[in-house]
Amino acid sequence: MKSAFHLAIHVRDLDAARDFYGRVLGCAEGRSTDSWVDFDFFGHQLSLHLGEPFATTRTGKVGDHMVMMPHMGAVLPLDAWLDLSARLEREGVEFDIPPVIRFAGEPGEQRTMFFFDPSGNPIEIKGFADFDGIFAS
């Protein structure tokens, strides 16, 4: 990794966010106060602050799907993606777009899944067998 990305977003309930990002997603908790908490979101710094989450709309056309915009996420090695998708299914996470292969046989072939955190923030997690395909055209 060349650098870590930082993203700060609003959540309505820090306890629910801690359970979801920590226990369900398996992200390590970092620093916190009574109004925010940091997580190691798959190697990147995610800061969750109390407040009203950003508005989203289903306006992103990607392949055969209309996805929520804006959204955040991570790109994982395929084995880690498969482990996470199995964990989410065991935890009963409701998928907006269930785990699927996108762009099969094309440059940039990937696995993807979309779901929401407890505050309604849309999350996409991608999985690549070959990270050289992340920016393939």
Side-chain angles (χ1 to χ4, degrees), residues 24 86-95:
V24 176
R87 179 188 313 161
L88 295 176
E89 288 175 357
R90 281 192 309 275
E91 289 290 335
V93 170
E94 184 177 329
F95 291 99

Side-chain angles (χ1 to χ4, degrees), residues 32-75:
S32 66
T33 70
D34 59 347
S35 65
W36 59 265
V37 59
D38 283 345
F39 281 94
D40 176 345
F41 187 74
F42 306 100
H44 303 282
Q45 185 188 46
L46 178 62
S47 296
L48 305 176
H49 292 253
L50 282 175
E52 188 59 29
F54 52 80
T56 59
T57 58
R58 195 172 300 281
T59 56
K61 177 131 176 70
V62 182
D64 296 331
H65 297 106
M66 293 298 292
V67 301
M68 298 303 288
M69 296 298 292
H71 62 267
M72 66 160 185
V75 180

Side-chain angles (χ1 to χ4, degrees), residues 84-127:
L84 180 60
S85 67
R87 179 188 313 161
L88 295 176
E89 288 175 357
R90 281 192 309 275
E91 289 290 335
V93 170
E94 184 177 329
F95 291 99
D96 188 50
I97 298 175
V100 65
I101 298 174
R102 186 189 299 162
F103 309 125
E106 299 178 33
E109 178 177 307
Q110 60 194 258
R111 305 280 180 117
T112 190
M113 55 185 156
F114 277 82
F115 50 91
F116 298 92
D117 77 4
S119 293
N121 292 305
I123 300 170
E124 176 184 20
I125 304 293
K126 296 181 179 188

